[in-house]
Amino acid sequence: MNKRDLKKFRAALEQKRDSIVNAPGKKPHWENMEDTRHGDFVDQASDDNEVHVNLRLLQIDAKLLRAIEAAIERIDNGTYGICSVCEEEISVARLKAVPWTSVCIACKEKKSA
Ligand SMILES: [Zn+2]
């Protein structure tokens, strides 16, 4: 991947990170998020659903934040855009959709299959 693209992805990642860090009250958009499955939550108390939802959002935030920081680190050490499983290049289209991903679509599908 060339430096210009890397710079763009880095800017996008930093922007996303800042939007999580600086706007805790706002609900982020999760439509581009992968790995939103977190099925271990059990709603024990039905009368405080909102608390559960907020808690869940916070947990996703923390997870996403870690993924974003790891991606920025990979940009720094030159491994960004390389699948961590098969070491093939991740397609730019996929990186545009999910810039913090560390696996290519084939490995992602294998993983979730
Ligand atoms: Zn792969």
Side-chain angles (χ1 to χ4, degrees), residues 83-88 90 102-108 110:
C83 175
S84 63
V85 179
C86 68
E87 298 184 348
E88 296 286 328
I90 302 169
S102 64
V103 290
C104 71
I105 193 75
C107 291
K108 159 95 168 122
K110 252 183 256 166

Side-chain angles (χ1 to χ4, degrees), residues 10 13 66-80:
R10 192 194 176 101
L13 285 162
R66 276 200 302 274
I68 291 171
E69 276 166 358
I72 292 172
E73 240 168 68
R74 287 196 301 279
I75 290 177
D76 285 341
N77 63 31
T79 58
Y80 183 73

Side-chain angles (χ1 to χ4, degrees), residues 35-48:
D35 283 338
T36 47
R37 282 162 295 131
H38 35 72
D40 296 332
F41 275 93
V42 182
D43 270 344
Q44 286 152 332
S46 55
D47 57 345
D48 63 353

Side-chain angles (χ1 to χ4, degrees), residues 3 7 16 24 26 28 37-38 45-46 52 57 61 68 70 75 78 84 87 93 98 100-101:
K3 277 190 179 162
K7 241 181 157 173
K16 182 81 184 167
K26 271 192 218 156
R37 282 162 295 131
H38 35 72
S46 55
H52 281 269
L57 276 176
D61 271 0
I68 291 171
I75 290 177
S84 63
E87 298 184 348
V98 195
W100 49 87
T101 191

